[in-house]
Amino acid sequence: MTHKTKGVVLRTVKYGETSVIATVYTELFGVQSYIVKGVRQATKKSQGKGNYFQPGAMLNMVVYHNELKNLQFIKEYEWSYLYNEVLFNVVKNAVAMYIVELLQHGLKQPEANPELFYLIEDTLKQLDKGTNTFTANLPLYFTLHLGSELGFHLQGSFSKATPVLDLMEGSFVQDVPMHPHYLSGEAARLTSHISNILFYNDLENIPLNRNMRRELLLAYQHFMVLHIPEFGEMRSLPILQEVLS
């Protein structure tokens, strides 16, 4: 039985002489692995097909799906959105690769989550169109909102009564906790603000210097590590920090 679904490519590895296995986050089925035949053949018909399965690519697909199998098959595919800037702009490409790697580390279960899919799809589209300030702030926004979709939304908000963000508990509290996993002061205030943003355009109004953005990116990665078992090391984070500096 075939199904029509959108998907965002997360990872691709070579398979056999001419094919690939693509890990895709799909709208209908969550994380799935697909065998895509013939995309590495040196023929005119296959030329350029490998580009469809670059990490971050957004596709419309017709797929075969069997709940009992770990590997599925793609019958048809086409672009659902074709980037204008992400593939050619160094900063935007670094942000896109950070988002994709964050998903690789964070999505441990195959279950579908349409709201998460729409967040990923919309974030990548907005990245493609965004200004420099928007682009620089987007990784912070996406990391916190991804955490919310995965079940650890920050509780409360920054105030005089709750000026400390306990990263282990995921909540704003009155006193510094007995462990080192927390944010306070300006870092806690900014995190509260970013967490409560509802519209992408509001990211334009958050002026951050290099040091604060670096501190927040490291803290948010640590937040993910605390809440996702075997999260692992983000290889794209140092690259992103270097590019944003």
Side-chain angles (χ1 to χ4, degrees), residues 5 11 34 76 82 85 88 101 104 122 139 146 243 245:
T5 183
R11 182 188 295 110
Y34 295 100
E76 300 172 15
L82 192 57
E85 297 188 16
F88 313 106
E101 189 182 6
Q104 292 172 0
D122 201 22
L146 174 62
V243 168
S245 67

Side-chain angles (χ1 to χ4, degrees), residues 9-28:
V9 179
L10 302 181
R11 182 188 295 110
T12 301
V13 296
K14 294 178 181 179
Y15 179 73
E17 294 295 322
T18 62
S19 305
V20 299
I21 295 177
T23 302
V24 184
Y25 191 72
T26 68
E27 181 181 8
L28 291 186

